[in-house]
Amino acid sequence: MPLHIVDKHKSLYDTYVQSATIEEISKFKLADEPNEPETIKKLIMDELLLDGNSKQNLATFCQTDLDKNIHSIMDKCIDKNMIDKDEYPQSAEIENRCLHILADLWNAPDSLETIGCSTTGSSEAAMLGGLALKWNWRENRKKLGLPCDKPNIVTGPVQICWHKFALYFDIEIREIPMENGRYIMNSEEVLKRIDENTIGVIPTLGVTFTLQYEDVFSISNALDKYEKETGINIPIHVDAASGGFVAPFIQQEIIWDFRLPRVKSINASGHKFGLSPLGVGWVVWREKKDLHKDLVFNVNYLGGNMSTFSLNFSRPGGQIIAQYYNFLRHGRNGYTLIQQACLEHGIYIGKELKKMGVFDLIYDGTDALPGVCWTIRKDLSQEPLFNLYDLSEKLRSRGWQVASYTLPSSMNDVVVSRVVIRHGFSRDLCSLFVKDIQNAIEYFQKHPILRSLEKDEGENFHH
């Protein structure tokens, strides 16, 4: 058959005989000619097969199991711009409903009258909460005729967003370092670091490194006592990126939210335990007065007068509509069932790891976020057959993604592993995961990693 006839019918025959699939595509600059859309879609989807399997990704806190209705909602909302409340007033109304649902969930004094906003994630939400603390502190200092050039925040071991916040907005971060046997902040350590320039204390409900909750209740009580003794009123912002969608459902006995008058704002991530797709966070203030008026901008160039107080501007609306769908679909009892199941899976994994006799559990999964954090037993860590990085790499060959890392600052000689259990994980998968860990240990017992030899050979090579 003549070549020009073959070329003419390529697109009617098969994707993988077209030029885009039999020749190298232009990856780093725009090619001159267009291609068949289905062909390019297949090329991209083929390439994405090299990504990890999200179901087996136990390193992330983010939700990866989304039902078909959420996919449909996201598709229908792809053209909605959440910043344009004049063009999309009903989407704005749904966002407002979500905020009041969260204010009620977190026990705001008047959940229908308070204020908040959606964000692209809990990092942006945390920064907005921090900015409100700074603005309120600065105004109070100016009223008293006092200097306001050295603001600080006091935190436990925090996620990187708080270091970014401190750097970007010129605030000193006084991060309480971990100590052997203490992996989170406590009230005693907070009191050592606060002063008149402290704009707020930032406890975390679900510390990234260990999954544990910091004790907001005892920290608030300590700050109450400090105020009585010194007259200095220091507010609390709770970083509840993960725990804000867990504790209200399965740990209601923990007092951490707006039930404490000193808690002025809370941030959470809808795309973590809020069960929504990636790209939505929330920040809610206790009362409207806790969000400084100077942080709210008014714009009129989108068709109507509207206020905005986010760091981003244009952003998609689908994630917010999906959050509302989850609130209506699951309700309190549905969220409770889901988070309790996740917690029990984490407890099961923790118990099985303990039985293996190789690991010490830093967090056993019982009373904070669903998951487990562990390290190699101290008496085995001097001459181990393997380390936790080896274990993570071995598990990856079975598709599992497990986070292994050093703890921060003064504990950076301690390596831990952590798994986070999210909605979409089953007891059967738990058992398979545990079995793969056991198989990996047996493999290393037969094939130990001889690091001392590798180190000697490396030194000899350099000499």
Side-chain angles (χ1 to χ4, degrees):
M1 184 182 293
L3 186 59
H4 70 278
I5 297 177
V6 172
D7 288 339
K8 181 179 179 181
H9 292 285
K10 273 183 180 178
S11 63
L12 301 177
Y13 174 61
D14 190 273
T15 295
Y16 294 97
V17 298
Q18 295 188 44
S19 59
T21 61
I22 62 177
E23 299 172 3
E24 185 74 16
I25 60 171
S26 180
K27 296 178 181 176
F28 302 105
K29 65 178 182 179
L30 282 175
D32 294 327
E33 300 300 325
N35 288 288
E36 290 279 343
E38 284 300 316
T39 300
I40 297 304
K41 176 186 173 184
K42 283 192 175 183
L43 282 178
I44 293 172
M45 297 311 294
D46 286 350
E47 187 169 343
L48 292 176
L49 291 172
L50 300 176
D51 280 341
N53 171 14
S54 61
K55 180 75 79 170
Q56 291 182 276
N57 184 358
L58 304 183
T60 184
F61 289 78
C62 297
Q63 183 58 38
T64 55
D65 191 87
L66 304 164
D67 71 37
K68 63 180 181 179
N69 294 320
I70 287 181
H71 284 269
S72 177
I73 287 170
M74 292 292 288
D75 182 53
K76 298 297 183 183
C77 295
I78 197 169
D79 60 345
K80 294 184 185 295
N81 184 356
M82 276 312 302
I83 200 65
D84 193 348
K85 293 174 171 52
D86 191 61
E87 181 70 21
Y88 304 106
Q90 205 56 38
S91 295
E93 168 60 20
I94 287 173
E95 176 189 30
N96 191 52
R97 292 175 193 170
C98 288
L99 288 165
H100 293 307
I101 288 170
L102 287 171
D104 177 67
L105 186 68
W106 297 335
N107 296 293
D110 190 343
S111 63
L112 293 178
E113 290 299 322
T114 191
I115 195 169
C117 67
S118 65
T119 62
T120 55
S122 55
S123 293
E124 181 191 359
M127 291 189 188
L128 291 173
L131 283 172
L133 293 178
K134 182 178 180 181
W135 255 245
N136 290 333
W137 170 83
R138 185 170 62 185
E139 182 175 88
N140 290 334
R141 297 283 289 178
K142 286 181 177 179
K143 286 179 179 177
L144 296 172
L146 297 172
C148 52
D149 58 335
K150 295 181 180 179
N152 69 72
I153 55 173
V154 175
T155 76
V158 284
Q159 202 258 4
I160 191 64
C161 75
W162 287 106
H163 291 273
K164 291 181 179 180
F165 168 74
L167 178 64
Y168 298 164
F169 297 105
D170 198 22
I171 296 168
E172 178 192 359
I173 182 169
R174 298 178 177 177
E175 185 176 19
I176 298 169
M178 293 182 177
E179 295 175 353
N180 191 22
R182 181 187 58 75
Y183 302 100
I184 55 178
M185 79 154 59
N186 59 31
S187 56
E188 292 79 8
E189 295 297 325
V190 168
L191 291 174
K192 294 176 184 177
R193 291 165 174 81
I194 55 176
D195 57 29
E196 64 180 357
N197 292 314
T198 302
I199 66 173
V201 175
I202 320 291
T204 301
L205 203 70
V207 172
T208 301
F209 303 102
T210 63
L211 308 180
Q212 296 166 301
Y213 292 165
E214 293 181 325
D215 189 349
V216 185
F217 182 76
S218 69
I219 293 167
S220 178
N221 286 343
L223 293 176
D224 288 344
K225 183 179 179 182
Y226 179 81
E227 182 180 2
K228 288 180 181 178
E229 294 171 352
T230 66
I232 299 172
N233 181 7
I234 299 176
I236 289 174
H237 171 91
V238 180
D239 184 349
S242 295
F245 280 100
V246 176
F249 301 112
I250 61 173
Q251 294 136 349
Q252 296 179 23
E253 72 282 1
I254 298 176
I255 308 299
W256 64 275
D257 53 16
F258 293 127
R259 286 170 288 182
L260 299 170
R262 195 168 292 278
V263 174
K264 300 302 182 183
S265 51
I266 299 170
N267 71 272
S269 180
H271 61 233
K272 292 187 175 81
F273 289 92
L275 309 181
S276 296
L278 282 165
V280 60
W282 303 95
V283 57
V284 177
W285 282 270
R286 178 184 182 81
E287 299 177 85
K288 286 182 179 179
K289 67 179 182 180
D290 295 315
L291 173 62
H292 198 285
K293 63 183 187 302
D294 288 352
L295 290 173
V296 181
F297 291 82
N298 291 290
V299 298
N300 63 4
Y301 48 77
L302 293 176
N305 289 309
M306 60 194 73
S307 61
T308 174
F309 45 99
S310 60
L311 297 179
N312 289 293
F313 199 65
S314 293
R315 55 193 172 87
Q319 290 90 337
I320 291 144
I321 310 303
Q323 182 75 80
Y324 186 58
Y325 163 82
N326 278 322
F327 285 155
L328 297 184
R329 163 166 159 61
H330 297 300
R332 285 181 180 264
N333 289 342
Y335 268 101
T336 299
L337 289 169
I338 288 169
Q339 311 301 27
Q340 186 63 42
C342 292
L343 191 78
E344 289 173 3
H345 293 329
I347 293 170
Y348 169 81
I349 291 173
K351 288 179 177 178
E352 294 301 310
L353 290 174
K354 192 70 175 176
K355 290 177 186 176
M356 294 177 191
V358 179
F359 307 113
D360 284 327
L361 298 185
I362 290 176
Y363 169 63
D364 63 3
T366 57
D367 56 4
L369 293 183
V372 192
C373 181
W374 70 90
T375 188
I376 290 180
R377 260 176 44 194
K378 289 181 180 179
D379 57 317
L380 299 178
S381 61
Q382 299 304 312
E383 295 183 9
L385 301 175
F386 64 94
N387 64 32
L388 292 178
Y389 298 116
D390 300 323
L391 179 60
S392 288
E393 191 64 27
K394 188 66 177 172
L395 290 171
R396 187 176 283 269
S397 69
R398 289 280 292 165
W400 302 107
Q401 297 176 62
V402 175
S404 293
Y405 46 87
T406 57
L407 293 176
S409 59
S410 59
M411 294 284 289
N412 63 6
D413 59 333
V414 178
V415 179
V416 302
S417 288
R418 182 203 69 214
V419 297
V420 182
I421 306 301
R422 307 177 314 282
H423 181 43
F425 210 68
S426 66
R427 180 56 59 89
D428 188 53
L429 281 175
C430 288
S431 299
L432 292 169
F433 174 66
V434 167
K435 181 63 176 174
D436 282 340
I437 291 179
Q438 187 64 62
N439 289 341
I441 292 172
E442 292 173 4
Y443 172 85
F444 289 125
Q445 288 172 340
K446 296 176 182 176
H447 309 280
I449 306 296
L450 303 178
R451 274 195 177 70
S452 58
L453 179 60
E454 291 174 358
K455 182 179 178 182
D456 292 341
E457 289 176 347
E459 291 173 349
N460 290 336
F461 175 79
H462 288 297
H463 287 313

